[in-house]
Amino acid sequence: VEDDACFIDDGVSGTTLLRPALERLRDQVANGAIDRLYVHSPDRLARKYAYQALLVDELPRGGVEIVFLNHALGK
């Protein structure tokens, strides 16, 4: 996977939605640049369940299929 296709916020807490890589991801989704997102597990997307739910609702509305690799949302 190309570096620009990875969205990793090293050292930034997943308890907030204001993270550089997450903002870059959301911008690319809004621009239609992404159609599938592979996520290690839901807590890598966001630490708070409410934020996970928000993103799992938002990203598909932008045309993105979310694939959780190790744990499904809510497990």
Side-chain angles (χ1 to χ4, degrees), residues 9-75:
D9 277 311
D10 286 327
V12 180
S13 175
T15 61
T16 179
L17 291 175
L18 299 175
R19 305 187 323 253
L22 180 59
E23 290 181 11
R24 187 169 55 87
L25 168 66
R26 293 169 96 181
D27 288 345
Q28 288 193 23
V29 169
N31 291 328
I34 297 173
D35 59 4
R36 184 175 296 132
L37 177 67
Y38 294 97
V39 181
H40 182 271
S41 57
D43 70 335
R44 300 291 86 202
L45 187 59
R47 290 287 188 182
K48 295 180 180 181
Y49 180 78
Y51 292 163
Q52 291 172 10
L54 180 132
L55 293 167
V56 166
D57 180 60
E58 173 187 321
L59 298 176
R61 282 188 282 122
V64 176
E65 174 190 3
I66 304 170
V67 178
F68 290 105
L69 300 174
N70 292 313
H71 301 284
L73 187 64
K75 300 244 178 180

